C-alpha cells in the first residue's frame, strides 16, 4: 500500500497492521459471532458469562462480548462473590450442598450427546431448518429492509447513514 | 391419604421457567402467578424472591437470577427459596380466603417471607410440571427437595404438555403409575384412550371450552375437529418462556417421537427487544423486567411484516410507533405510554389502516402522575406570575426530564423471530413450520387427524395477532386436502395449570403419585427401573 519504508521487514509489519484493521472476517468467525449472539439471548443479565459459576464446559465465545462493568459482577452474588470462579466454586460447594450445574453440563452428563441415532431426547427434538422460507435481509442498524452487505463483517445495512453507524459500532467488535 | 381431611389435598404447581402458577386442585384458576426468579435492585441489599416481585414498587435496574436455564431447573437452591416463599404465600392466600384444612397463616401481603406461616407440606401432595425430556439429575434433585426439605406426602411430576392434553381431551387417566411407563419420555403416564375414557367428542364442546377458533369453521372444519376429538388426536403448541414445542398426540397420548422444539421463547424475545433497543436508542441492558413488561404490553405479531415495516417508515408518521415514558423513580415508577401524536392520528384516520391490530389498551399515564404534574405546573405558574414572567409550561404536559423510549418496528419485528427464526440467524423453522415437522415425524396416516386440532398454549401465544398469523401461515403449508383447525384458548399460559388442577382432582391422581414412603424405600434418582 504505502511503500515508503526502506527495508522489507518494515514494510511487512506496516502492511500487516493495516490489513488487520481492514481484514475481512472469515466465515467461521462470522458464524461464531452469530452463535454467541444467539446464546446471549438466553442470559438473565447482560453481564452473564455463558457459564456463571464456572462449572460447565462453557463455550469460549467471550471475545465478542464487550469487557465492561466488572463492578456489577461483585454485587450480584449473595455474600461472598470472588472474582475467581474456582474460589467461588469451593465456597459454594462447601456451604450450600447442591452445586449449580450448567445446562451444558447437564446435557453432557445425561449422555444424550452419544445417544444412538433413533433415540428421542432433547437434542433430537430440535426443529430443523426451514424449507419454506429463505432468510430475509434487514438492516442491522435501523431494522428496515436492506440491500447492502458490509464487506468486512457481513452485516446488512440499508443506507450510507446506517453504514457509518455500523462501522463505528458493531463492525469494530469483530476485531479479535 | 385419599380422603384425609376436608378441603384441599393437592398443591398444583406449574413450575414454568418464566412464571410459577400455584394453586389447589379442582379450582379453575391458580391462586398465585408470579415470576420464577429473584431480583435484586442494584446497589441495595434488598432481595425480591418470587412473588415478592409482584409487590415491588419499581422494576428498574434489577439483577435477575433465574433457577431455570433453557427450561430446565439448574439452580436447585434458588428454586427452593422461591418455592418456599410461594408456598407461604399460598397458605396466606388460602387462609385469607377460607380456613380449610390449612396451617393457619395470619400474615398475608407483607413483603417478608418470615412473617408468613409456612404451608404444612406434610398434609399435602404436590403436583408439579416439568419440561419435556427432563434430565434424570434434575428429577432426582426435585424429588429430594420436595420430599426431604418440604416434606410433601406425595409427588407427581409430569411434563406440562401432558396436562394441557388432559385439559384438551378431558380424558380420565388410567391407573398407571408414572415410573412403570416404558415411554420414551419417562414420567408420562399414558392416558386411557378408547377404553376408560369418556371423550368430549363434539366440536361444540371444544369451542365452548376455548372460545371461538381462530378462523370461523366451515362444515368440513367442524367435521375435522370432531374427528380429531373422537380420536383424541391433535398437536399442542407450547410456546413458553424458554422454547416453543410442538407436541403431537393421538389416542390421548403424547407422541414423543414427533415432538419438535424451536429454541426461542419469551426470554429470548425479551432479550432480543432489549438488545435491539439498547443498540438503537437507549441502553436498556440492565432493565430486564421493564423490557419484559414492555414486551408483554406493547409487542404484537404482524400479519405481513414487510408491509408493516414499510408503513412504519418514517418514524414520525409511523402508526406503529409508541413513545414509552420510562420510570423516573420519583412519581413515575412503572412507566407509561404517551398518546400518539397528532401527525400519527392524522395518518391513521383516513383509511383507518391500523391493520386490525388490537394491541390492547395502551398503559396510559396514571392519574397520580397527572395530578403531580398539574400541581407542579400550577406552582410554576404561580412562581412565574409572581416574577412577572410568562410561563409557557402547560399543565399536564410532558416534563423536560422525562426519558422517552421510542419504539417503532421493534414492536413487531421482535416477535417476528418466532415465525422466521432465520431473520435473527437461527437456522430453525418458524412456529408454523415446526408443526409441519412434528406431524411429518408421526405416522403419515395420522396427519389429517393431527391437523384437525391444533391448540395454542403457552405465554407467547398471548401476543396479539399470534393466533391469526399462525393459522394463516400454517394453512399455506398444510396440503389443501387437509382441514386445519387452530384453537386458541383464552388464557394460553394457564392451560397446563388448568389441566393439572383437573387431573389432581380426578380419581386417578392418587394412583399415579409417588409417595414419600416409596421415595424413602426406593431412593431418588432414576425411576424407570
Amino acid at each position: 500500500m504505502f511503500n515508503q519504508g526502506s527495508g522489507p521487514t518494515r514494510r511487512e509489519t506496516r502492511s500487516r497492521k493495516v490489513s488487520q484493521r481492514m481484514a475481512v472476517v472469515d466465515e467461521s468467525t462470522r458464524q461464531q459471532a452469530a452463535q454467541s449472539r444467539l446464546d446471549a439471548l438466553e442470559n438473565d443479565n447482560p453481564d452473564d458469562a455463558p457459564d456463571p459459576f464456572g462449572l460447565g464446559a462453557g463455550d469460549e465465545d467471550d471475545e465478542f462480548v464487550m469487557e465492561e462493568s466488572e463492578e456489577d459482577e461483585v454485587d450480584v452474588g449473595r455474600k461472598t462473590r470472588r472474582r475467581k470462579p474456582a474460589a467461588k466454586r469451593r465456597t459454594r460447594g462447601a456451604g450450600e450442598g447442591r452445586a449449580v450445574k450448567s445446562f451444558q453440563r447437564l446435557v453432557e452428563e445425561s449422555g444424550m450427546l452419544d445417544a444412538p441415532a433413533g433415540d428421542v431426547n432433547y437434542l433430537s427434538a430440535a426443529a430443523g431448518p426451514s424449507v419454506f422460507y429463505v432468510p430475509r435481509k434487514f438492516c442491522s442498524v435501523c431494522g428496515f429492509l436492506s440491500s447492502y452487505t458490509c464487506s468486512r463483517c457481513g452485516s446488512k445495512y440499508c443506507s450510507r447513514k446506517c453504514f457509518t453507524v455500523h462501522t463505528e459500532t458493531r463492525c469494530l467488535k469483530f476485531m479479535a | 391419604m385419599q380422603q384425609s381431611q376436608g378441603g384441599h389435598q393437592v398443591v398444583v404447581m406449574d413450575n414454568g421457567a418464566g412464571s410459577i402458577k400455584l394453586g389447589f386442585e379442582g379450582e379453575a384458576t391458580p391462586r398465585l402467578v408470579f415470576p420464577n426468579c429473584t431480583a435484586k435492585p442494584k446497589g441495595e441489599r434488598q432481595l425480591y424472591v418470587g412473588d415478592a416481585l409482584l409487590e415491588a414498587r419499581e422494576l428498574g435496574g434489577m439483577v435477575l437470577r433465574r433457577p431455570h436455564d433453557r427450561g430446565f431447573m439448574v439452580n436447585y437452591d434458588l428454586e427452593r427459596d422461591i418455592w418456599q416463599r410461594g408456598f407461604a404465600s399460598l397458605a396466606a392466600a388460602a387462609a385469607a380466603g377460607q380456613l380449610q384444612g390449612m396451617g393457619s397463616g395470619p400474615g398475608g401481603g407483607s413483603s417478608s417471607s418470615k412473617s408468613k406461616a409456612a404451608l404444612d407440606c406434610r398434609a399435602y401432595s404436590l403436583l408439579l410440571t416439568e419440561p419435556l425430556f427432563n434430565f434424570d439429575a434434575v428429577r432426582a434433585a426435585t424429588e429430594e427437595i420436595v420430599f426431604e426439605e418440604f416434606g410433601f406426602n406425595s409427588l407427581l411430576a409430569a411434563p406440562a404438555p401432558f396436562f394441557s392434553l388432559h385439559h384438551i381431551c378431558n380424558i380420565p387417566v388410567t391407573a398407571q403409575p408414572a415410573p412403570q411407563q416404558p415411554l420414551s419420555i419417562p414420567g408420562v403416564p399414558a392416558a386411557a384412550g378408547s377404553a376408560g375414557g369418556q371423550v368430549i367428542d363434539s366440536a361444540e364442546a371444544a369451542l365452548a371450552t376455548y372460545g371461538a377458533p381462530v378462523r370461523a369453521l366451515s362444515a368440513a372444519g367442524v367435521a375435522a375437529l370432531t374427528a380429531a376429538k373422537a380420536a383424541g388426536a391433535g398437536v399442542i403448541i407450547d410456546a413458553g418462556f424458554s422454547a416453543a414445542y410442538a407436541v403431537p398426540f393421538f389416542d390421548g397420548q403424547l407422541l414423543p417421537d414427533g415432538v419438535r422444539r424451536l429454541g426461542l421463547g419469551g426470554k429470548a424475545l425479551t432479550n432480543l427487544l432489549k438488545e435491539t433497543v439498547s443498540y438503537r436508542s437507549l441502553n436498556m441492558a440492565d432493565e430486564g423486567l421493564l423490557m419484559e413488561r414492555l414486551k408483554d404490553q406493547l409487542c404484537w405479531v404482524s400479519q405481513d411484516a414487510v408491509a408493516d415495516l414499510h408503513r412504519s417508515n418514517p418514524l414520525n408518521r409511523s402508526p406503529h410507533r409508541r413513545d414509552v415514558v420510562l420510570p423516573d423513580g420519583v412519581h413515575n415508577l412503572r412507566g407509561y405510554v404517551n398518546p400518539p401524536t397528532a401527525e400519527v392520528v392524522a395518518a391513521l384516520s383516513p383509511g383507518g389502516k391500523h391493520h386490525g391490530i388490537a394491541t390492547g389498551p395502551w398503559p396510559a399515564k396514571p392519574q397520580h402522575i397527572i395530578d403531580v404534574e398539574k400541581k407542579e405546573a400550577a406552582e410554576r405558574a404561580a412562581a412565574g406570575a409572581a416574577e412577572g414572567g410568562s410561563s409557557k409550561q402547560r399543565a399536564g404536559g410532558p416534563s423536560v426530564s422525562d426519558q422517552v423510549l421510542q419504539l417503532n418496528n421493534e414492536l413487531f419485528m421482535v416477535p417476528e423471530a418466532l415465525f422466521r427464526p432465520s431473520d435473527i440467524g437461527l437456522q430453525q423453522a418458524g412456529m408454523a413450520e415446526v408443526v409441519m415437522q412434528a406431524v411429518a415425524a408421526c405416522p403419515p396416516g395420522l396427519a389429517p387427524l393431527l391437523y384437525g386440532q391444533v391448540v395454542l398454549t403457552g405465554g407467547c401465544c398471548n401476543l396479539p395477532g399470534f393466533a391469526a398469523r399462525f393459522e394463516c401461515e400454517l394453512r399455506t403449508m398444510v396440503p389443501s386436502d387437509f382441514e386445519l383447525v387452530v384453537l386458541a384458548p383464552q388464557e394460553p399460559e394457564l392451560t397446563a395449570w388448568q389441566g393439572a388442577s383437573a387431573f389432581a382432582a380426578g380419581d386417578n391422581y392418587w394412583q399415579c403419585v409417588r409417595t414419600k414412603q416409596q421415595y424413602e424405600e426406593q431412593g431418588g434418582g432414576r425411576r424407570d427401573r
Side-chain angles (χ1 to χ4, degrees), chain A residues 25-69:
Chain A
V25 181
D26 62 10
E27 189 54 34
S28 70
T29 318
R30 287 180 187 181
Q31 280 176 3
Q32 230 181 329
Q35 187 58 47
S36 70
R37 189 167 160 245
L38 285 177
D39 289 342
L41 291 183
E42 294 296 326
N43 285 352
D44 291 328
N45 294 303
D47 304 326
D48 280 353
D51 178 18
F53 298 97
L55 279 169
D59 26 358
E60 304 301 324
D61 292 335
D62 311 21
E63 60 252 37
F64 301 110
V65 181
M66 279 216 289
E67 297 285 333
E68 60 177 3
S69 65

Side-chain angles (χ1 to χ4, degrees), chain A residues 75-120:
Chain A
D75 58 8
V76 168
R78 283 184 179 165
K79 287 164 194 168
T80 55
R81 174 109 187 193
R82 308 267 165 82
R83 290 283 166 80
K84 282 187 181 175
K88 172 72 189 163
R89 190 191 323 171
R90 233 175 285 122
T91 45
R92 187 171 190 95
E96 304 194 23
R98 278 184 294 266
V100 178
K101 283 184 182 174
S102 76
F103 175 76
Q104 299 288 343
R105 185 162 153 153
L106 279 173
V107 168
E108 278 164 23
E109 286 182 357
S110 70
M112 69 171 69
L113 289 172
D114 344 296
D119 205 15
V120 178

